[in-house]
Amino acid sequence: QVQLAESGGGLVQAGGSLRLSCAASGRTFSSYVMGWFRQAPGQGREFVAAIRWNNGFTSNSDSVKGRFTISRDNAKNTVYLQMNSLKPEDTAVYYCAAGYPASSSYGEPYSYSYWGQGTQVTVSS
């Protein structure tokens, strides 16, 4: 079993920055892929970024490239999402996920087995 706990959300003005954290516990994570997704009101769950725990390989959605960076700290079993140049359209609940998706499925929510409770990010204009 894997437990994921997100933190770091909040209210920020457009152009500002936030760093989200996802603390993982339970089973070992060396072969997992960790993903960040977001869900705005009335919308489906959207892929943001993913990182392979063992080699640090990353993947980002086009909507956040150049603005968001995913990283991990193996010693702390924590994955981060650094979000810069935030826009009002980035407003959503952000979720951390863990699983074994193939590289072609990093962006598919069904490919992940474990999910955190989510953290709200609100960007004001």
Side-chain angles (χ1 to χ4, degrees), residues 27 33 43 47 65 71 74-75 78 83 103 111 121:
R27 297 176 61 181
V33 172
Q43 304 293 319
F47 171 71
K65 276 182 180 177
S71 62
N74 290 357
T78 300
M83 305 186 296
S103 56
S111 297
V121 171

Side-chain angles (χ1 to χ4, degrees), residues 2-8 19-30 32-36 50-54 56 58 69-82 96-98:
V2 174
Q3 293 80 41
L4 304 174
E6 304 96 334
S7 62
R19 188 177 78 158
L20 305 183
S21 300
C22 173
S25 60
R27 297 176 61 181
T28 58
F29 307 102
S30 60
Y32 273 105
V33 172
M34 304 295 294
W36 283 100
I51 186 167
R52 184 171 290 280
W53 200 279
N54 56 4
T58 64
T69 303
I70 189 171
S71 62
R72 83 230 191 271
D73 185 327
N74 290 357
K76 295 182 178 179
N77 281 345
T78 300
V79 174
Y80 302 99
L81 186 68
Q82 178 66 44
C96 177

Side-chain angles (χ1 to χ4, degrees), residues 57-114:
F57 174 80
T58 64
S59 176
N60 295 301
S61 72
D62 289 341
S63 63
V64 305
K65 276 182 180 177
R67 300 189 300 124
F68 293 9
T69 303
I70 189 171
S71 62
R72 83 230 191 271
D73 185 327
N74 290 357
K76 295 182 178 179
N77 281 345
T78 300
V79 174
Y80 302 99
L81 186 68
Q82 178 66 44
M83 305 186 296
N84 299 327
S85 302
L86 282 161
K87 305 175 182 179
E89 51 263 44
D90 294 318
T91 294
V93 177
Y94 282 71
Y95 296 92
C96 177
Y100 295 105
S103 56
S104 59
S105 298
Y106 279 4
E108 302 297 338
Y110 63 75
S111 297
Y112 295 81
S113 302
Y114 303 99

